[in-house]
Amino acid sequence: AHQVDAAIFPASAFGGSAALSLAQTGATLIAVDDNSTKTQVSAASLGIKAIHVSSYLEAVGILACQRAGIGWQALRPTLPPLQALQQR
């Protein structure tokens, strides 16, 4: 577990030994919401810090950003909603 610095799990499968062990090492844990499992143990319910993403493709993108030294948060900018223009 000490050689692993990141792992991807279904968002509802954080109760397994791999997730619990990696959470103690400081590894980056990514939770994929699109994949449901029979177990219903979220990272939040165990107090585990995880990055939530919609798909495995998004999870791989986060890993690629980390490897390249790019902050993945920059890919999720918070933009205010557009407001409709009023005709005069």
Side-chain angles (χ1 to χ4, degrees):
H2 294 289
Q3 296 176 347
V4 177
D5 63 353
I8 302 170
F9 295 96
S12 61
F14 274 81
S17 62
L20 294 171
S21 177
L22 288 170
Q24 295 176 359
T25 67
T28 300
L29 302 179
I30 302 173
V32 179
D33 294 328
D34 277 352
N35 189 358
S36 61
T37 64
K38 293 223 181 235
T39 62
Q40 295 298 315
V41 183
S42 68
S45 69
L46 297 173
I48 295 173
K49 182 181 171 189
I51 301 168
H52 283 269
V53 297
S54 298
S55 67
Y56 281 98
L57 182 60
E58 189 176 354
V60 171
I62 287 178
L63 293 179
C65 284
Q66 285 188 328
R67 298 292 184 260
I70 300 169
W72 62 268
Q73 298 88 341
L75 301 178
R76 285 188 177 172
T78 304
L79 300 174
L82 296 175
Q83 295 183 5
L85 296 175
Q86 295 179 358
Q87 294 182 353
R88 293 183 186 206

